[in-house]
mmCIF file of all heavy atoms in Angstrom:
data_model
loop_
_atom_site.group_PDB
_atom_site.id
_atom_site.type_symbol
_atom_site.label_atom_id
_atom_site.label_comp_id
_atom_site.label_asym_id
_atom_site.label_seq_id
_atom_site.Cartn_x
_atom_site.Cartn_y
_atom_site.Cartn_z
ATOM 1 N N ALA C 418 -15.824 -44.992 11.860
ATOM 2 C CA ALA C 418 -16.988 -45.141 10.941
ATOM 3 C C ALA C 418 -17.540 -43.709 10.597
ATOM 4 O O ALA C 418 -17.825 -43.407 9.393
ATOM 5 C CB ALA C 418 -18.074 -46.032 11.506
ATOM 6 N N LEU C 454 -20.710 -51.491 6.674
ATOM 7 C CA LEU C 454 -22.157 -51.456 6.893
ATOM 8 C C LEU C 454 -22.523 -50.177 7.581
ATOM 9 O O LEU C 454 -23.586 -49.619 7.152
ATOM 10 C CB LEU C 454 -22.569 -52.725 7.759
ATOM 11 C CG LEU C 454 -23.951 -52.814 8.119
ATOM 12 C CD1 LEU C 454 -24.992 -52.791 6.921
ATOM 13 C CD2 LEU C 454 -24.294 -54.038 9.089
ATOM 14 N N VAL C 475 -26.190 -67.990 -2.384
ATOM 15 C CA VAL C 475 -26.350 -69.377 -2.959
ATOM 16 C C VAL C 475 -26.875 -69.225 -4.399
ATOM 17 O O VAL C 475 -27.936 -68.549 -4.567
ATOM 18 C CB VAL C 475 -27.328 -70.168 -2.126
ATOM 19 C CG1 VAL C 475 -27.577 -71.571 -2.665
ATOM 20 C CG2 VAL C 475 -26.805 -70.234 -0.611
ATOM 21 N N ASN C 596 -1.640 -68.728 -11.420
ATOM 22 C CA ASN C 596 -0.929 -67.995 -12.454
ATOM 23 C C ASN C 596 -1.855 -67.204 -13.387
ATOM 24 O O ASN C 596 -1.353 -66.318 -14.160
ATOM 25 C CB ASN C 596 -0.143 -69.008 -13.397
ATOM 26 C CG ASN C 596 1.149 -69.357 -12.656
ATOM 27 O OD1 ASN C 596 1.799 -68.442 -12.130
ATOM 28 N ND2 ASN C 596 1.472 -70.633 -12.573
ATOM 29 N N ARG C 650 -35.446 -37.444 -22.140
ATOM 30 C CA ARG C 650 -36.306 -37.207 -23.323
ATOM 31 C C ARG C 650 -36.384 -35.636 -23.614
ATOM 32 O O ARG C 650 -36.235 -35.364 -24.771
ATOM 33 C CB ARG C 650 -37.711 -37.724 -22.904
ATOM 34 C CG ARG C 650 -38.708 -37.742 -24.108
ATOM 35 C CD ARG C 650 -39.950 -38.239 -23.810
ATOM 36 N NE ARG C 650 -39.975 -39.744 -23.576
ATOM 37 C CZ ARG C 650 -40.216 -40.562 -24.653
ATOM 38 N NH1 ARG C 650 -40.481 -40.062 -25.870
ATOM 39 N NH2 ARG C 650 -40.165 -41.813 -24.415
ATOM 40 N N GLY C 737 -7.048 -42.257 12.988
ATOM 41 C CA GLY C 737 -6.323 -41.234 13.775
ATOM 42 C C GLY C 737 -7.299 -40.076 14.181
ATOM 43 O O GLY C 737 -6.796 -39.059 14.723
#
Side-chain angles (χ1 to χ4, degrees):
L454 177 59
V475 179
N596 281 317
R650 187 179 285 273

